[in-house]
Amino acid sequence: MTALPTQPLSPLDGRYQATVSPLGEYLSEAGLNRARVEVEVEWIITLTNHALFGTTPLSQDEKQQLRALYLTFGQDEIDWLAEREAVTRHDVKAVEYLVRDRLSALGLDRVAELTHFGCTSEDVNSLSYALTVKRAVNDAWLPAYRRVIQKLRELALEHADAPMLSRTHGQPATPTTMGKELAVFVWRLERVLKQIEGGEYLGKFSGATGTWSAHLAAAPQVAWPNLAREFVESLGLTFNPLTTQIESHDWQVELYDRVRHAGGILHNLATDVWTYISLGYFAQIPVAGATGSSTMPHKINPIRFENAEANLELSGALLASLAQTLVTSRLQRDLTDSTTQRNIGVAFGHSLLALDNLTRGLGEISLSRDVLLADLDQNWEVLGEAIQTVVRAEVTAGRSTIQDPYALLKELTRGRRVGAADLAEFVQGLEIGDEAKQRLLALTPATYSGLAEQLTRSKL
Ligand SMILES: O=C(O)C[C@H](Nc1ncnc2c1ncn2[C@@H]1O[C@H](COP(=O)(O)O)[C@@H](O)[C@H]1O)C(=O)O
């Protein structure tokens, strides 16, 4: 057997590459290095703007040329860094050398020593991760998450009035509507959406052990914490003033826990819709040219929901691992976070893939209202709850002397199939007021869905 050409090992970089590529813009190694260059460049611009060490602010033209280094970052820079890192064996140092090299090419040697000035690698890494994760969440993950919510909202409103048998413990229970059950997911997903949208992206910029020691040794008169805050905030990040060598990663833990939580809700949605499809409640819309089973020609399999389920499990496990490892770093730093953070994109990639499959899956189902109604018609015994509750009210109001209405209905309905005629006869024979009796006689499983429709319409 001849060896294959070099292959991507991860399916995210193989068959699913097109779907997850928006994340690669930020959460790939090149995306990280581009952000590192951005931070190094902006720090030089900030230091010179403040005319530190006798420098003068760079001209607009010089700034523009310097910024082009990250704005047009591409394959040349990727290759340059790979070559240089093979020598330095230090990824951030290689970035520093790249910036110095380009400063020289631009005739800006006079500020070369301000590259990475006072910085430890984590100053640059912390801001770079905050920038790339923030951009990936805002530009790629959140839009996909909102698309699922939007599709779900449309379905919930469309089916707000579609009565459906509930199944608590998998057993027939008080009816609801399909729309209301989908609305519950919208409600849950939106709560977590707000938490994710409100999350902070923190950065530190305080040197080797968070004390600005080197900075003060070089320029004791400068209010370095203020300058660091100004710099971090100028990048659209939240300043963390008190850290060890590393930014403590608590914002990342919060974010990954929330995204994992959202994934858990979506997993619940995927398995519920899968179950509704299996019950025949949702029909799957045939896709032209597609095959369900390789051997059973009649089949359309719910593969979108199964793919989402599996990817949510993978992403949940990775997000949990990220949150668990990033929360700790021995003493003033250990380097486990470096290795761990290289997998942030993998965790988000599996999640994004799941979101894409859910959106597509939700767009390929149609509700079979007739199946829902037929199922309700097979389960008149669910009205037992309504009858016993009405009798209790009648007893309390003095219009009935029935003893233990619950036991009476239990006797009639528990574990039994009770039809419309049986129930009507039973209700006719009840010693309750006439108005209550007529109300009960008018009730069917399909109309016994309480405020399900109104709740759906008013809460979405
Ligand atoms: O500013 C510093 O660098 C301070 C230094 N701490 C470090 N901080 C950040 N990065 C460091 C550190 N040390 C190594 N490296 C480089 O990290 C890279 C780790 O590679 P990988 O395991 O593939 O993620 C790999 O490129 C490593 O060379 C310290 O001694 O405290």
Side-chain angles (χ1 to χ4, degrees), residues 276-277 280-286 300 364-368:
Y276 290 136
I277 291 171
Y281 286 7
F282 279 121
Q284 297 178 90
I285 300 165
I300 306 178
E364 292 169 2
I365 51 176
S366 76
L367 191 66
S368 303

Side-chain angles (χ1 to χ4, degrees), residues 18 31 45 63 77 108 121 127 155 215 225 236 310 416 437 455 460:
I45 292 174
K63 285 181 189 172
E77 287 73 23
L108 289 170
S121 307
L127 301 189
L155 285 172
H215 308 66
R416 293 231 194 108
K437 192 173 282 185
L455 281 168
L460 293 193

Side-chain angles (χ1 to χ4, degrees), residues 85 89-91 120-122 125 245 333 335 338-339 342:
E85 195 188 335
R89 304 286 173 94
H90 195 302
D91 50 0
T120 190
S121 307
E122 172 64 10
N125 285 339
Q245 180 175 98
R333 99 150 291 148
L335 205 54
S338 172
T339 316
R342 292 187 198 278

Side-chain angles (χ1 to χ4, degrees), residues 104 168 176 204 221 255 287 322 326 359 384 426 438 440 442 449:
S104 191
T168 59
T176 175
K204 59 89 65 171
Q221 76 286 4
L255 174 66
V287 176
L322 284 169
L326 288 177
T359 304
F426 179 81
Q438 293 315 314
L440 279 178
S449 59

